[in-house]
Amino acid sequence: MIQLFRMAFRDLGRNRRRTFFSILALAMGLALLILMASFINGEMSSAMDTTIKLQSGHLQLRQQNYDETKASLKWENLIEDPAQVTRQIATLEPVIAASARLFASGIVASRDQSTGVQIVGIEPDSITNNPYREGLVSGEFLTAGDRDGILIGRPLSEKMGLQVGDQINLTANTSNGDVSDQLFTIRGIYSTETRVFDSAIVFLPLEKAQAMTGTENHASTIFVLLKDKDQTDAVVNALQTSRYKILTWTKMNEVIIQTENLSNAYMSLFYLIVLGVTATVIINTLIMAVFERTREIGIFSAIGMRSRRIMAMFLAESSLLAIGGILLGLVLGALAVAYLERNGFYIGNMAVGGGGFLIRDTVYAKFSLEGTINVTIMAFIVTMLAGLYPAALAARMEPVEALRAEK
Amino acid sequence: MEVTKVENVTRVYKIGKVETNALRGVSLSIQSGEFTALVGPSGSGKTTLLQLIGCLDQPTSGQVYINSQEVSKLSRNQRADVRRGTIGFIFQFFALIPTLSAYENIEMPLLLNGHSASERRARITELLAAVNLSDRANHRPDQLSGGEQQRVAIARALATKPSLILADEPTANLDTENGKQIMDTMTRLNQETGITFVFATHDPRVIHYARRVVTLQDGRVVDNSLHDMGGSDPDL
């Protein structure tokens, strides 16, 4: 066995340039796949984290008949006395924080411009709002007693040419089907680096939002954050309420999970394409080696080497190519992933948030150990399979024909 | 004792629709310890006959025996097994593996035969000395002259102590001096070891080394005679 690999190593060294480029082809393919796996991993886990943090939380409680798509403000669709409900939930050990939120549709107007927005009434002091508070790019955050302050996102401020201190007119639906409008002063401008969210959401203090929409002491949802999302089911069991509908982060973010599954399926296809191209390079290299060494194959056969051993000689070469390509590919892949983990990949306006999930403007790779192991094993198997045909070609040669070949 | 025997052997090559009769009913028996030349012009069937005796090829009809075993119907791997244990080859084009040193080239058949490392070392040292190449053990073929390469090939052919060594035009690619050395070496080893040598040649300077000359023409044996003239020719 040692002799087999020693010979394979020397044979690969006969045409170092060709061997190097074959190894490089495999390495580039593998590095690309590792990078893609880590990129998708980063994108999907970031999308889930961002969506949980900004939009869904780990749990939400809603009135049984609340229809999220209509952002209903009818009292019978809302949670009454939300403060009492949040206090009860907050007593549970796995809960970090729970806070009431009210959703309403509205229109922001300034000078001759207007745009549709979603108004979110929040309890400004709750730590569930930290992502918005930490994302302040100018001005200050809302306070609970603020009667005319509003928080808007940076893309909206840029689109409408607004700054902190400017006044805007906000029109909102009310619980009785009317509309109300009021002038608000921009207290702060925030950025969560999630364009689709920041351009559509404006924040008001909960009490002000309730007053404006005629929903006194009511909320659309109770937004709950947990210490560990794996405790979700335990909290759901502990709540044991039939009065409210409990939505978990998995239920609310099904589309992310489906998208991840779809991405994984596409990645499998992508693996096959990249590794298929790489396999073609390996096959080509080994076939050339077989034809160049036809006479040597005849000599080995003449001194009594069996077909299986001739085959093993060429498979040893493909395994060395695989090992070389994989080692180099792991290094190149790790460097590329490390770069994108640190610097990210700016997708800017390409960031979408359809179907209720949010992708940040910059996607950061997240090293995927599982993905890396999978593609490494696949690369090795594909290279060995690629070596099978040339090896079989060599093994099937008739010694008398092989000996007759030109050197 | 009979080392090899061919009985009424034919070999027809088919290239496209054209059939070429390389051998047309050849029968021959070679005894242990012989030093036999197959001679004849190009295309007479010398190499084809060597390949059939060497189990590298199979006859179209007829039988080939090696040490009384019928080998003409054996599978590819079975023929490889016969070659590995019984037959050594020396080719016109030296036929060494370019990536292996002289030592490693000689070692290859011993490895295939499953000899231990110490057995291999002892045997290779002995063989390198026998062909006067002890100081060239670690040289690769491209670092050896044509004559030295052919001596390595002889040592490799002898490695497993075969009962038969087949040499196809062993001096064809060598100058006169190296050709003489090769023939002297083969003759000496035949006399010292008793191993049977059969070599194909159309070089008249080499033929007289043989104690028996089998002449082929158009795929048939036309002469099969004993010569009483072993040893070297000073005029070679």
Side-chain angles (χ1 to χ4, degrees), chain A residues 3 7 10-11 14 295-296 299-307 309 395-397 399-400 403-404, chain B residues 13 51 56 76-77 80-81 83-84 89 91 93 95 97-100 104 108 111-112 120 140 156:
Chain A
Q3 278 88 0
M7 281 178 61
R10 289 184 192 174
D11 284 330
R14 290 191 207 198
R295 186 185 275 186
E296 286 173 38
I299 295 166
F300 281 124
S301 187
I303 61 177
M305 192 177 273
R306 283 179 149 232
S307 304
R309 188 159 177 132
R396 277 204 308 265
M397 280 183 183
V400 69
L403 285 166
R404 212 175 282 152
Chain B
Y13 292 110
Q51 286 168 344
L56 293 171
R76 186 202 311 248
N77 280 330
D81 293 342
R83 288 195 294 273
R84 193 168 63 241
F89 288 95
F91 296 101
F93 53 85
I97 304 300
T99 51
L100 301 181
E104 291 165 333
M108 187 52 64
L111 273 171
L112 295 177
R120 295 200 302 267
R140 292 200 183 173
R156 184 182 64 190

Side-chain angles (χ1 to χ4, degrees), chain A residues 284-344:
Chain A
N284 187 44
T285 298
L286 291 173
I287 284 182
M288 284 172 76
V290 168
F291 286 133
E292 282 169 6
R293 282 156 38 205
T294 299
R295 186 185 275 186
E296 286 173 38
I297 293 166
I299 295 166
F300 281 124
S301 187
I303 61 177
M305 192 177 273
R306 283 179 149 232
S307 304
R308 193 179 294 177
R309 188 159 177 132
I310 292 172
M311 198 163 174
M313 262 184 1
F314 282 90
L315 287 178
E317 284 184 39
S318 39
S319 68
L320 287 181
L321 283 177
I323 290 167
I326 283 169
L327 289 178
L328 185 60
L330 287 173
V331 171
L332 294 177
L335 288 174
V337 171
Y339 178 82
L340 281 187
E341 272 186 342
R342 193 182 174 87
N343 300 304

Side-chain angles (χ1 to χ4, degrees), chain A residues 42-43 48 50 58 162 168 207 241 243 270 294 324 403:
Chain A
E43 185 180 20
M48 186 61 92
T50 304
H58 293 117
L162 298 169
I168 55 172
E207 284 181 25
T241 172
R243 189 173 170 192
F270 190 66
T294 299
L403 285 166

Side-chain angles (χ1 to χ4, degrees), chain A residues 24-95:
Chain A
L24 189 64
L26 178 60
M28 298 281 280
L30 181 64
L32 181 65
L33 294 181
I34 290 171
L35 183 63
M36 284 299 292
S38 301
F39 187 79
I40 298 264
N41 187 33
E43 185 180 20
M44 285 300 135
S45 57
S46 161
M48 186 61 92
D49 288 348
T50 304
T51 307
I52 287 173
K53 215 161 53 173
L54 299 180
Q55 189 165 278
S56 73
H58 293 117
L59 282 175
Q60 286 193 28
L61 264 71
R62 292 177 187 165
Q63 194 58 264
Q64 289 288 0
N65 52 5
Y66 180 78
D67 184 350
E68 186 187 13
T69 56
K70 293 178 181 164
S72 172
L73 291 167
K74 290 180 181 164
W75 286 23
E76 64 266 28
N77 295 336
L78 302 176
I79 296 172
E80 190 179 358
D81 194 7
Q84 187 199 347
V85 182
T86 54
R87 272 197 304 276
Q88 283 178 357
I89 294 171
T91 58
L92 295 172
E93 199 275 331
V95 173

